[in-house]
Amino acid sequence: MGRVLEEGDNCWRVARAGRAAFIVDGESYFRAVREAVRSARRSVFLVGWDIHSELELIRNGGSDDELPTALGPLLDAVAHERPELDIYILSWDFAMIYAMEREFFPQYKLRWKSHDRVRFCLDGEHPLGASQHQKIVVVDDCLAFCGGLDLSQWRWDTCEHRVEDERRKDPKGKSYPPFHDVQMVVDGEAAVALGELVRERWNLASSIESVDVDLERELAHDPWPASITTELEQVDVGIARTLPDYESRDEVREVERLYLDSIAAARRFIYFENQYLSSKRVGDALVARLEEPEGPELIAIMPEKTGGWLEQHTMDVLRARLLRRLREADRHDRLRVYFVRLSSEPHVALMVHAKIMVVDDEIVRVGSSNLSNRSMGFDSECDLAIESAESNDCRAAITDFRRRLLAEHLGVSVEALGSAEEEGPSLVQAIESLRGGARTLEPLSGEVSDEVDKLVPDSKVLDPEKPVEPEDLLASFVGSEDQKPAWGGLAKFGLLALGVFALAALWRWTPLGDWLDVENLAAIGEWIDQRPFTPLLLLAAYVVAGLAVIPITLLFVATVMVFGPWVGMGYALAGGELAALAAFGVGHMLGRDTVSRFAGSRVNRISRKLSDRGILTTITLRIVPVAPFTVVNVIAGVSDIRLRDFALGSLLGMIPGVLAVAFLTDRIVVSLRDPSSESITTLILVVVLVAGGLFGLRRWLARDAEKQI
């Protein structure tokens, strides 16, 4: 095989590493990071898709020092110990909508609660829908880690991947399934180059301060982790990136180019582990190699199913479509796709999160990029690659790494795998000869039902490879990427109507009617209404619920249901206004910098328009669902809008929605009490009128917005 790495084409930089090693699974990686950070003298950069301050780097003891084992306290402690050490933490700006899936208040935990020289920034410098997906740690510009592992929850595991492991718990103490991933560590010029890369990313995203590479001071120590054995020496490391087209920056597709060139160079086999498989261009390249009569074998290790329900009904469907293409092209029986079964009774499969590829034991890559479209041109990614060239030692190290992974998955020794490879004519036959234990590789069908397949749209929607052009509707207010289409509102009204019909049917034709009595519900509401402090309690509940980001429309519906259309409408308007003002005050106290960490890049757009046309913009944001109610209120608190204008605009903007809710809810109650054809017909007419009225009002506001551009 000739040389594949080409600087400026399929990689950004080819840099020399005096030492390199492969780190398999979280237990080893997190320990190594702690050892490196513990010895840092000048700088530490942590860059990730997610970073959790309470991540326990070492479990069940095992520390030989007095420093903390949790990430956040560790960084704070070393910053206090060493006055010349600066620490920079850069995590993807996930915005408010993802707050419940991440560590709450990371700004507080990783910045305010830490030493002044621990700097934290959320990276929002990417197109709408894209993410900062690189996973890099750089220590003193002379040691760097790069791969698929984030310093986050749900990542720690051992190579044994025990079905039950008391140590495999998140910061809240909850257990999670076995997890597999890989990282690479390098030093020398390769670490210096990665130091440049993370500084560039920091300088793009951070308003705190810019940082430059400083190689003037000599270090009198070696931060190489004591727990990591060097596997490669004096090797060239290719650094490949994906960066999307954004603002004045051109896109970079080195990750994709390196995948395609490596696949084209394969002669014997292509082995990869990856979380996803949906990239069209990579798929086309693999199909072409499988169709060749003398092409390479293709061995893929993937998760049986990806994360939660949503991924299984989106990315798994895209994977199924590409697997069908690969199997149709596999006329020469060289394709094997497996998942790792850890136990048969009960059935437990390993979550494969690694992003690695080995070609002929002559090229190895470890990185953050998935085999998805978005990793090729939409998200920011970073992969490291090494090719053996003429070095037998390097080739042997790559072979050992690949065998170590396969042996781990098959539940056999590395020696047994090596013997099987030497006896068999192909890697596929060696793997097949060792399968069959309780822990083993099992064929992955990856099929999904036709019903689910038909429901899932094209990959251009779910897995884009380039930034999507935003629509123009209401662009003058908040940027159309935050818009929700008008048909979404119509669909919600349609679903609401169906729900009403279902409730009516249950009440009339099933035993539910024996205890679902509207009169009883009305009696309960009347009792609540007669309490002396009901108004104050209700308004306080609105304030608390508003700050807790509970949808305001649900509160409106509940209020009208209990207190009736007229009194309920008054309570809803008063409660909604108080909730808006309370969140406005919270935003004003927190300040723009803090709010932007949670609400993301929409802060500048919304606050600018609130400042320019306060009352009209507030009315528009109440009627057009461009952002959650609480998010708009908090952002208003950091804008230049006057409190009077915000209060008036908020009240006026809520009136149409509250009227619609009161009118519709009243008809629903009537339909539940008397689910006759007449009441149901009236309800349908009300739904149509309300939906049409709101749709027309939004269109009018949109036209008004366009006139202001």
Side-chain angles (χ1 to χ4, degrees):
M1 182 186 296
R3 292 193 65 87
V4 172
L5 292 175
E6 186 174 342
E7 190 171 283
D9 179 29
N10 57 26
C11 60
W12 166 61
R13 190 81 58 83
V14 177
R16 196 75 166 171
R19 292 170 292 184
F22 308 104
I23 306 176
V24 181
D25 294 318
E27 179 190 35
S28 298
Y29 174 55
F30 293 160
R31 180 181 293 275
V33 167
R34 184 178 182 276
E35 291 171 349
V37 169
R38 187 180 61 182
S39 63
R41 296 292 182 269
R42 187 170 57 208
S43 63
V44 174
F45 282 85
L46 310 178
V47 176
W49 180 82
D50 183 29
I51 297 173
H52 202 294
S53 70
E54 297 176 11
L55 169 68
E56 283 292 335
L57 299 171
I58 298 178
R59 312 285 169 108
N60 283 358
S63 173
D64 59 357
D65 56 51
E66 299 300 322
L67 290 172
T69 56
L71 179 62
L74 171 68
L75 298 175
D76 180 54
V78 294
H80 275 93
E81 269 190 8
R82 291 148 206 172
E84 294 187 356
L85 177 64
D86 293 298
I87 299 174
Y88 304 89
I89 307 168
L90 187 69
S91 183
W92 173 40
D93 184 358
F94 51 88
M96 193 72 170
I97 192 172
Y98 296 105
M100 299 308 293
E101 299 177 16
R102 300 294 188 98
E103 178 177 23
F104 201 53
F105 288 127
Q107 178 82 353
Y108 168 72
K109 299 258 183 93
L110 287 168
R111 183 178 177 187
W112 299 343
K113 197 177 178 181
S114 301
H115 193 280
D116 290 343
R117 281 181 282 102
V118 178
R119 300 162 177 87
F120 176 77
C121 176
L122 287 171
D123 187 348
E125 290 299 309
H126 43 69
L128 178 76
S131 72
Q132 194 306 106
H133 200 244
Q134 298 167 342
K135 298 107 168 34
I136 306 171
V137 175
V138 181
V139 176
D140 289 338
D141 296 310
C142 56
L143 180 77
F145 303 87
C146 180
L149 273 161
D150 278 300
L151 294 166
S152 181
Q153 60 181 345
W154 308 323
R155 301 294 190 266
W156 185 96
D157 202 1
T158 69
C159 293
E160 289 79 15
H161 303 300
R162 298 171 186 166
V163 174
E164 299 291 340
D165 192 330
E166 288 296 321
R167 299 168 296 173
R168 196 172 57 235
K169 293 183 177 180
D170 65 19
K172 295 180 180 179
K174 295 182 179 180
S175 299
Y176 56 89
F179 188 91
H180 168 70
D181 212 330
V182 179
Q183 206 85 349
M184 189 186 294
V185 56
V186 296
D187 67 1
E189 295 175 3
V192 173
L194 287 168
E196 293 180 30
L197 189 151
V198 295
R199 281 173 171 79
E200 179 182 356
R201 192 77 211 179
W202 174 272
N203 292 338
L204 283 173
S206 174
S207 60
I208 302 172
E209 64 175 292
S210 61
V211 288
D212 299 317
V213 177
D214 180 11
L215 302 178
E216 296 298 323
R217 291 174 289 175
E218 292 292 330
L219 292 176
H221 77 297
D222 179 7
W224 186 270
S227 63
I228 301 300
T229 301
T230 300
E231 297 177 76
L232 295 154
E233 294 183 349
Q234 300 304 321
V235 291
D236 290 333
V237 179
I239 304 172
R241 307 163 300 165
T242 295
L243 297 172
D245 179 11
Y246 183 62
E247 295 184 344
S248 61
R249 302 190 296 276
D250 295 331
E251 74 171 357
V252 175
R253 302 181 72 97
E254 296 156 356
V255 160
E256 180 182 70
R257 186 72 257 162
L258 184 56
Y259 273 125
L260 299 180
D261 290 348
S262 300
I263 292 168
R267 295 172 299 178
R268 297 185 294 119
F269 67 83
I270 300 168
Y271 172 85
F272 71 79
E273 298 181 4
N274 212 279
Q275 182 182 6
Y276 300 130
L277 182 61
S278 57
S279 168
K280 183 181 184 303
R281 297 188 187 186
V282 172
D284 290 344
L286 294 173
V287 165
R289 297 310 311 270
L290 286 172
E291 289 176 339
E292 296 176 14
E294 302 297 329
E297 295 179 322
L298 174 58
I299 299 101
I301 313 293
M302 308 193 73
E304 182 180 23
K305 295 179 180 179
T306 53
W309 181 92
L310 181 60
E311 283 183 289
Q312 292 171 17
H313 286 75
T314 52
M315 297 305 293
D316 282 7
V317 176
L318 300 182
R319 179 179 72 177
R321 293 171 184 171
L322 184 47
L323 285 177
R324 286 189 213 118
R325 290 187 58 211
L326 293 175
R327 286 172 176 139
E328 289 170 1
D330 185 32
R331 293 188 291 270
H332 308 285
D333 192 30
R334 298 196 307 268
L335 171 67
R336 295 295 186 276
V337 182
Y338 301 108
F339 72 92
V340 182
R341 188 186 71 193
L342 298 175
S343 169
S344 56
E345 294 293 337
H347 177 83
V348 178
L350 180 65
M351 176 57 200
V352 176
H353 192 264
K355 301 95 169 54
I356 70 106
M357 178 177 280
V358 179
V359 177
D360 294 343
D361 287 343
E362 295 188 18
I363 301 174
V364 60
R365 74 185 285 166
V366 176
S368 66
S369 66
N370 289 304
L371 290 174
S372 60
N373 288 318
R374 63 184 303 123
S375 283
M376 304 302 152
F378 195 40
D379 293 339
S380 59
E381 307 282 5
C382 183
D383 291 4
L384 302 185
I386 296 173
E387 52 186 338
S388 63
E390 301 302 321
S391 169
N392 290 328
D393 289 342
C394 184
R395 188 178 298 108
I398 296 174
T399 300
D400 288 343
F401 168 60
R402 192 259 306 157
R403 286 179 176 172
R404 180 155 49 116
L405 292 174
L406 269 173
E408 175 183 319
H409 300 328
L410 284 164
V412 302
S413 67
V414 173
E415 292 75 18
L417 177 60
S419 298
E421 288 184 32
E422 293 172 3
E423 293 172 3
S426 72
L427 181 56
V428 164
Q429 290 189 4
I431 294 172
E432 288 295 322
S433 71
L434 295 171
R435 291 200 313 107
R439 172 173 177 168
T440 190
L441 288 173
E442 282 289 298
L444 172 68
S445 70
E447 288 297 322
V448 297
S449 67
D450 292 339
E451 291 77 12
V452 172
D453 196 0
K454 291 175 182 178
L455 289 174
V456 175
D458 185 82
S459 62
K460 292 180 181 178
V461 178
L462 297 176
D463 184 26
E465 64 174 275
K466 289 188 176 183
V468 180
E469 290 296 325
E471 299 174 358
D472 294 330
L473 183 62
L474 289 177
S476 67
F477 285 95
V478 294
S480 56
E481 61 268 35
D482 286 328
Q483 299 297 323
K484 295 181 180 177
W487 60 263
L490 296 175
K492 290 179 181 178
F493 278 107
L495 290 173
L496 181 60
L498 288 175
V500 170
F501 298 150
L503 285 173
L506 288 171
W507 181 80
R508 187 166 188 176
W509 293 305
T510 74
L512 187 65
D514 296 336
W515 60 273
L516 179 58
D517 186 2
V518 176
E519 297 301 329
N520 290 335
L521 296 177
I524 294 173
E526 184 178 350
W527 180 86
I528 295 173
D529 191 23
Q530 293 174 354
R531 297 304 93 192
F533 298 107
T534 291
L536 294 178
L537 293 174
L538 181 64
L539 297 179
Y542 262 86
V543 172
V544 172
L547 294 176
V549 203
I550 294 174
I552 195 70
T553 305
L554 294 181
L555 298 177
F556 290 163
V557 171
T559 304
V560 174
M561 284 287 291
V562 172
F563 296 99
W566 300 110
V567 175
M569 187 170 62
Y571 276 143
L573 285 172
E577 183 75 356
L578 282 177
L581 293 175
F584 181 96
V586 169
H588 187 73
M589 287 189 297
L590 292 176
R592 179 183 294 268
D593 182 66
T594 302
V595 171
S596 67
R597 296 297 186 269
F598 294 97
S601 57
R602 71 181 70 182
V603 168
N604 290 334
R605 296 195 300 270
I606 295 179
S607 63
R608 183 174 65 251
K609 291 304 174 183
L610 282 168
S611 303
D612 294 343
R613 305 168 68 223
I615 294 179
L616 182 57
T617 300
T618 305
I619 293 173
T620 302
L621 293 175
R622 289 288 174 252
I623 297 172
V624 182
V626 299
F629 179 80
T630 304
V631 173
V632 171
N633 299 331
V634 172
I635 292 174
V638 299
S639 72
D640 294 328
I641 188 174
R642 290 182 296 180
L643 177 61
R644 181 193 65 187
D645 292 346
F646 174 77
L648 180 59
S650 185
L651 181 63
L652 294 175
M654 283 190 293
I655 289 175
V658 172
L659 280 172
V661 167
F663 196 22
L664 188 60
T665 302
D666 181 62
R667 290 297 90 197
I668 290 173
V669 172
V670 171
S671 297
L672 283 171
R673 182 179 291 114
D674 178 24
S676 63
S677 58
E678 182 180 353
S679 65
I680 291 175
T681 301
T682 303
L683 176 61
I684 294 174
L685 291 175
V686 169
V687 169
V688 172
L689 287 173
V690 170
L694 290 177
F695 178 75
L697 184 58
R698 291 175 185 176
R699 290 291 300 272
W700 177 80
L701 287 169
R703 287 196 298 271
D704 179 74
E706 291 171 355
K707 293 177 183 178
Q708 303 300 325
I709 296 177

